[in-house]
Amino acid sequence: MASKLLHRLRRTLLREVTLQPQLGSAEDFPESSELDDDTEGLSSRFSGTLSFEGEQEPESEDPGENSELDSDSDVLEDSGENGTESAESSPACQPPAHNMLTKQLQDSWKQSRTRSIPERLLFEVTDASVVQEGTSKYVLYTIHVIKSGQFDKTPSLITRRYTDFNRLHSLLRGLYGDEMRGIAFPRKKLRRNFAAETIAKRSRAFEQYLTHLHSLAELRRAPLFLEFFYLGDLQAGQSLLRAGQYQEAVGCLLNALGLQEKLGCQPQGHWIFTLAILVASFQELEQPEEAQEYCERALQDLTSPSLQRQQQQHPLLVPLLQAIVRLSWKVSKDKRQWESQLQQLKDSGVDVGSQPSLKEYLVKESLEGSEGGRHKGGDVA
């Protein structure tokens, strides 16, 4: 009996010694319930991270969670290597989970870069200062015109008085009565015009007023509305060109060009005229590279379908062609294309030799805007 008990004891001890290395200690391997909880947590983290549907922003992840994901991925990779099938032959073989996550994030980022963002103009009053000129006193508002939907590195600006806005409003009401019906405009005040509260309210009102006008297609294309922004700078640039102040002229003209570009004026209206004055100003400043660039841009726009449909030849065509032939030679660029166009004009009967130079034409031309719906200086407007 004792021998049988001793034999059973030996078998039990032998079995425990054999199983102990396989099972390991409780500290090395947690209980099965803890493993199940960890698996559920891992699944929830993956499902939340990989969801790119909807417009909600992805929640920021804690750095500790990222480290856990990497650790879990390594465990999964190791278990795959110890399987009965090799990694190459296994149909369920997948790259590590964190690599999948990175690839999907990269794809999402690439898609977001190519996704079109709606562009619109923002009108923001950035300054309002009280100006005293003799016995006259008024508030001058500085408005930045910014194109949203992209990084606008060259925001354009204008400075206008209340009377400028009031005049625009009156002219638009006379020409576009239906579209202007119901559009509010800040009324004149008999007193407290220079109070900080009044100036702040008018600043916000002017922003909303311009935004609303620009949102209406008929008014957005109206010459009066467009010229309200750029015509003053364009006229100032022409006056400075006449006075020989070419560097100052360039500053006004670039702002006028930027405003026209944001408002979608090219190649209509005064767009070609603005480019031509820039060419003449850069020529006088002995900057042939800049002059050639703007001259080529003007000639490319002159060949646009909208201008080619006009029956008469644009008055700036020959002066610009003559200018770009000389400028291309100075900057060592191919001028044969422009010489060919000049020759075609000669063959069609145009007296190229009697045409004024670019600067002569720009100095003599009377540049006026639209008043009462009629263009003045019609050849260039």
Side-chain angles (χ1 to χ4, degrees):
M1 186 71 178
S3 62
K4 290 183 178 180
L5 291 174
L6 181 62
H7 181 67
R8 290 180 181 176
L9 178 61
R10 287 177 178 176
R11 289 177 59 185
T12 302
L13 290 175
L14 181 61
R15 186 183 299 111
E16 290 177 355
V17 171
T18 305
L19 295 176
Q20 186 69 19
Q22 298 177 0
L23 295 176
S25 64
E27 295 178 356
D28 294 335
F29 290 90
E31 296 293 334
S32 60
S33 61
E34 293 178 359
L35 284 174
D36 292 340
D37 292 341
D38 182 69
T39 304
E40 292 175 0
L42 179 64
S43 176
S44 65
R45 285 200 300 272
F46 270 118
S47 63
T49 305
L50 296 179
S51 176
F52 295 100
E53 296 180 1
E55 296 297 329
Q56 295 181 355
E57 292 290 332
E59 295 180 359
S60 60
E61 297 179 357
D62 184 77
E65 290 187 358
N66 288 337
S67 62
E68 290 179 10
L69 285 175
D70 291 340
S71 176
D72 290 333
S73 302
D74 293 339
V75 171
L76 293 174
E77 187 176 11
D78 292 339
S79 64
E81 290 177 355
N82 296 329
T84 57
E85 296 182 358
S86 65
E88 290 81 8
S89 60
S90 173
C93 179
Q94 297 290 342
H98 63 282
N99 289 342
M100 293 172 60
L101 172 63
T102 302
K103 184 178 185 302
Q104 293 203 24
L105 286 174
Q106 290 175 343
D107 293 341
S108 176
W109 179 73
K110 290 177 182 179
Q111 292 175 4
S112 66
R113 291 189 64 189
T114 57
R115 188 182 301 121
S116 60
I117 302 176
E119 292 185 359
R120 62 189 183 95
L121 287 188
L122 303 177
F123 305 94
E124 181 180 359
V125 176
T126 57
D127 183 68
S129 55
V130 179
V131 179
Q132 183 80 47
E133 290 183 352
T135 59
S136 176
K137 186 179 180 181
Y138 58 89
V139 180
L140 193 64
Y141 299 88
T142 301
I143 302 107
H144 273 70
V145 182
I146 306 169
K147 179 177 285 188
S148 69
Q150 62 182 19
F151 177 67
D152 192 350
K153 60 182 179 181
T154 56
S156 305
L157 62 89
I158 60 174
T159 55
R160 298 291 183 269
R161 302 168 52 175
Y162 176 89
T163 53
D164 297 323
F165 281 97
N166 191 37
R167 181 172 177 272
L168 172 67
H169 186 68
S170 300
L171 290 172
L172 288 176
R173 284 184 62 186
L175 290 172
Y176 304 93
D178 294 338
E179 290 79 3
M180 293 295 294
R181 186 177 294 112
I183 296 180
F185 186 80
R187 293 179 296 179
K188 288 185 178 180
K189 288 181 174 288
L190 297 178
R191 53 183 180 176
R192 293 184 58 81
N193 284 299
F194 305 105
E197 183 181 359
T198 301
I199 294 174
K201 287 182 177 180
R202 282 186 173 176
S203 298
R204 303 289 81 77
F206 289 147
E207 290 176 350
Q208 296 171 6
Y209 177 73
L210 293 176
T211 300
H212 187 68
L213 292 181
H214 188 262
S215 69
L216 303 176
E218 188 68 21
L219 297 179
R220 185 169 58 242
R221 295 188 294 264
L224 280 171
F225 176 73
L226 299 173
E227 292 166 5
F228 172 80
F229 291 92
Y230 72 81
L231 187 60
D233 279 325
L234 181 54
Q235 290 173 331
Q238 185 185 36
S239 299
L240 290 167
L241 176 70
R242 290 169 174 167
Q245 301 178 29
Y246 307 115
Q247 193 64 58
E248 293 81 357
V250 166
C252 293
L253 295 167
L254 287 176
N255 192 59
L257 189 72
L259 287 165
Q260 291 178 72
E261 191 169 17
K262 288 180 172 64
L263 293 164
C265 298
Q266 70 273 23
Q268 303 293 334
H270 298 89
W271 176 258
I272 302 297
F273 195 86
T274 308
L275 290 171
I277 303 182
L278 274 169
V279 173
S281 299
F282 280 122
Q283 277 184 308
E284 296 298 328
L285 290 170
E286 296 184 358
Q287 295 179 243
E289 290 84 4
E290 290 81 357
Q292 196 275 343
E293 176 186 348
Y294 284 103
C295 195
E296 184 173 351
R297 188 174 177 181
L299 286 168
Q300 288 175 349
D301 290 334
L302 275 176
T303 59
S304 65
S306 58
L307 290 183
Q308 283 185 333
R309 285 194 294 266
Q310 296 181 1
Q311 295 182 355
Q312 58 183 4
Q313 175 186 301
H314 198 286
L316 281 168
L317 178 59
V318 173
L320 283 170
L321 283 172
Q322 291 174 332
I324 200 171
V325 168
R326 293 190 295 269
L327 290 168
S328 298
W329 177 80
K330 284 186 177 181
V331 298
S332 302
K333 288 193 174 182
D334 190 0
K335 55 187 176 63
R336 288 174 294 181
Q337 172 188 355
W338 315 117
E339 290 176 332
S340 175
Q341 291 189 29
L342 270 176
Q343 187 60 47
Q344 291 177 9
L345 290 173
K346 290 180 182 179
D347 296 341
S348 64
V350 177
D351 188 1
V352 175
S354 64
Q355 299 283 336
S357 68
L358 183 62
K359 184 182 177 181
E360 290 173 347
Y361 179 87
L362 296 172
V363 168
K364 293 179 180 179
E365 180 63 26
S366 176
L367 178 61
E368 298 182 54
S370 301
E371 187 91 16
R374 185 171 61 89
H375 285 280
K376 300 182 180 180
D379 287 339
V380 297

